[in-house]
Amino acid sequence: MGPISPETNPWDSPIDSCRPIKVICIGAGISGILAGIRFPQRIKNLDFTIYEKNIDVGGTWFENRYPGLGPDFSCHAYQYTFASNPNWSRFYPPGKEIQEYLQGVARKYNVKKYIRFAHLFKSAEWLEESGKWEITLERLCDKEVIKDHADVLLKATGLLNTWHWPDISGLHDFKGKLLHSADWDESYNPNNGTVAVIGYGPSGMQIIPALQPLVKSMQCYVRGKSWIAQYGPGADELKERGGGDNFEHSIEEIRQFNENPETYLQFRHKVEGALNKAQFVTFRGTEANKAFSEATDKWMKDALVKRPDIYESLKPDYPVACRRLFPGSRFLEALIRDNVEFIPKEIKHITTTGIEDEDGVFRKADTIICATGFDPPLNANESPIIGKGGTTLSQIWDPSPSAYLSMCPEKMPNFYIFLGPNSVPSAGSTIYMIESYCEYMIKCVQKLQRERLKSMTIS
């Protein structure tokens, strides 16, 4: 605990009074919207501001607009507990619906009144004498650097936030259309052309099947290995309804969900229950893990029976569920189409007209799509956060990031992170977990107010 705040002495105040406090939140995605709802609801004498680099709320769902975008588990378990949406069109709805949902929640709870859009977070430094965070931001409309101060700093920048072009020789010499999955040009038309896709993480696995029917030919450059699941976690409902990779909710079912909130709540619980049970497959050596591993391996092999070379190229040497699994039935189906060339090679160089692989084979392309994802979410080098004694968050997290309850790094007073180190579950509802983090942060801020503390720090 830090010393008593110099502003007021607890002995001179009523026991239930709360000192004024200023909180700044960085980011207006799922976590930032939640903070913009719960902090003003729960905390008295609050001065609250959210800084967001984009021009609207939504975070990764605002930024990602590539074809085929969607979640890897059902949105019936990917929504706020207090803001049910009975109108999802599909079990796995398109990403645009998720963005619309987040916009609707922000509108309903008037969150935007706290947000200053088009402000890029640059750095933060703890000022020990005043017990304040000094936050530096760039106002993107005129590139002016501004500063603000707060008693408490929340980092709600999420996991999928910062992207860069891949470091490939000659990439920007290419004279055709160059796209990145995280910065998609919605005016792009494949126009029956030749498209090269670099990467096969979640974005690549969605872009490839979405564009494959629209192109003359497609080159898929895959340099790594990964297990690919038939279903996303907690897909019991899919199996009950015929075993496809998705399904539409009928108009009648959506009407029932709207007219009977309890019915929809029970359906949400059913989906969440299946999602939570999926945790068991991540424990190596258990019967659940063995059965799931065998089923996943067999499914991949069967799906690629026409192309066993692709199966051998993709099959990793690590156990199933050791790393993130992504449902990819449509991805594997696309890989074996006649107009798709699977290239398990490193890229040596990109010219003005195409790509040369490590074996010296050159292939022309009209479009290159970099589905290379985002930077590591716990990289704090580009926007340094400086805590007690001038210690940076990057220094604290070298070599291995850690934080108390995944929220509170040491030597960082009054600083809280949504989705910090070791926070994301292998299954289960991420949003419910975010809500739990938010409630804990609120209790910490209330303690600072009630006891007139200057700061709280993990030692």
Side-chain angles (χ1 to χ4, degrees):
M1 299 294 178
I4 292 174
S5 169
E7 299 168 4
T8 54
N9 190 312
W11 308 116
D12 299 329
S13 305
I15 193 171
D16 58 349
S17 69
C18 300
R19 73 173 176 93
I21 199 160
K22 183 174 181 178
V23 177
I24 286 178
C25 177
I26 306 300
I30 291 173
S31 300
I33 293 170
L34 176 66
I37 297 169
R38 289 303 193 220
F39 269 66
Q41 285 178 342
R42 304 270 205 269
I43 299 173
K44 301 175 182 178
N45 288 343
L46 175 67
D47 182 353
F48 187 68
T49 302
I50 300 172
Y51 286 104
E52 167 57 50
K53 66 178 181 179
N54 294 318
I55 59 172
D56 203 351
V57 300
T60 190
W61 296 106
F62 171 83
E63 295 176 4
N64 283 279
R65 305 175 187 192
Y66 59 78
L69 173 67
D72 59 348
F73 58 86
S74 175
C75 280
H76 298 293
Y78 190 70
Q79 54 186 324
Y80 300 113
T81 59
F82 55 87
S84 283
N85 176 24
N87 297 309
W88 300 114
S89 66
R90 302 170 69 86
F91 193 67
Y92 299 118
K96 183 179 180 181
E97 284 189 33
I98 302 174
Q99 172 62 6
E100 291 170 350
Y101 166 75
L102 294 173
Q103 288 175 319
V105 172
R107 186 165 51 247
K108 177 179 178 180
Y109 290 94
N110 202 16
V111 173
K112 288 187 178 181
K113 70 179 181 180
Y114 302 108
I115 304 176
R116 298 183 67 181
F117 291 108
H119 282 73
L120 178 64
F121 173 66
K122 303 296 288 185
S123 65
E125 182 175 4
W126 175 253
L127 306 179
E128 189 66 46
E129 185 173 346
S130 63
K132 307 281 186 183
W133 281 100
E134 182 176 78
I135 296 97
T136 302
L137 308 111
E138 179 184 342
R139 191 167 58 203
L140 297 179
C141 63
D142 58 8
K143 303 300 182 182
E144 182 177 346
V145 175
I146 64 171
K147 294 185 183 294
D148 201 350
H149 296 81
D151 301 288
V152 176
L153 176 61
L154 312 179
K155 189 172 185 291
T157 51
L159 300 175
L160 306 175
N161 182 263
T162 304
W163 68 273
H164 290 103
W165 293 105
D167 185 15
I168 300 175
S169 170
L171 177 65
H172 295 285
D173 295 331
F174 182 64
K175 299 302 183 184
K177 185 70 173 179
L178 182 62
L179 295 164
H180 195 288
S181 56
D183 189 35
W184 193 262
D185 179 358
E186 293 183 273
S187 69
Y188 169 66
N189 183 351
N191 197 27
N192 201 34
T194 299
V195 176
V197 181
I198 301 171
Y200 79 115
S203 55
M205 289 171 61
Q206 293 183 333
I207 289 171
I208 288 169
L211 292 185
Q212 176 269 322
L214 308 177
V215 303
K216 179 181 179 181
S217 63
M218 177 178 283
Q219 305 154 13
C220 297
Y221 288 86
V222 176
R223 67 176 183 175
K225 297 176 179 288
S226 178
W227 292 107
I228 298 168
Q230 182 178 10
Y231 302 109
D236 295 22
E237 192 70 21
L238 284 178
K239 300 171 187 176
E240 291 178 12
R241 300 198 188 202
D245 62 2
N246 203 352
F247 65 83
E248 290 189 5
H249 290 288
S250 67
I251 295 175
E252 175 61 23
E253 186 171 37
I254 293 173
R255 184 187 64 79
Q256 290 179 0
F257 286 160
N258 276 274
E259 293 179 357
N260 303 283
E262 186 61 33
T263 298
Y264 183 57
L265 183 60
Q266 290 174 4
F267 182 74
R268 283 191 65 179
H269 287 166
K270 179 184 178 184
V271 174
E272 289 178 2
L275 191 61
N276 288 329
K277 285 191 297 184
Q279 299 277 6
F280 293 115
V281 305
T282 65
F283 291 92
R284 186 178 181 182
T286 62
E287 289 302 316
N289 178 258
K290 290 177 182 178
F292 182 71
S293 298
E294 291 172 0
T296 300
D297 184 41
K298 182 179 185 303
W299 174 79
M300 279 186 64
K301 188 178 293 185
D302 291 346
L304 296 168
V305 67
K306 295 180 180 179
R307 292 291 306 274
D309 59 308
I310 298 181
Y311 166 76
E312 292 298 335
S313 293
L314 291 178
K315 183 181 178 180
D317 56 7
Y318 57 81
V320 175
C322 177
R323 298 179 185 175
R324 180 185 178 186
L325 275 172
F326 199 82
S329 60
R330 295 182 65 241
F331 169 65
L332 296 189
E333 289 172 7
L335 290 184
I336 61 176
R337 298 299 183 190
D338 292 339
N339 66 336
V340 175
E341 183 179 5
F342 178 81
I343 308 165
K345 304 288 183 180
E346 294 277 357
I347 293 173
K348 180 180 179 181
H349 183 71
I350 294 177
T351 72
T352 57
T353 58
I355 299 175
E356 180 184 354
D357 70 24
E358 61 184 343
D359 292 339
V361 178
F362 178 78
R363 298 172 179 86
K364 285 188 175 182
D366 303 315
T367 301
I368 295 177
I369 298 171
C370 298
T372 47
F374 295 83
D375 293 353
L378 299 179
N379 183 350
N381 291 320
E382 287 195 2
S383 48
I385 298 172
I386 305 167
K388 293 180 68 173
T391 305
T392 67
L393 188 58
S394 294
Q395 290 172 327
I396 294 170
W397 282 354
D398 182 19
S400 178
S402 65
Y404 177 66
L405 297 180
S406 298
M407 287 182 283
C408 312
E410 60 179 316
K411 300 181 181 179
M412 294 285 159
N414 300 355
F415 176 65
Y416 303 94
I417 307 173
F418 288 96
L419 299 176
N422 305 308
S423 61
V424 180
S426 54
S429 174
T430 302
I431 294 185
Y432 177 74
M433 183 180 63
I434 290 171
E435 290 186 31
S436 300
Y437 289 155
C438 190
E439 293 299 326
Y440 183 86
M441 296 173 190
I442 287 168
K443 290 178 180 179
C444 290
V445 173
Q446 289 172 333
K447 182 178 179 67
L448 289 170
Q449 287 183 297
R450 186 175 57 251
E451 300 182 21
R452 270 62 177 179
L453 297 174
K454 184 178 181 181
S455 65
M456 291 193 293
T457 317
I458 300 300
S459 57

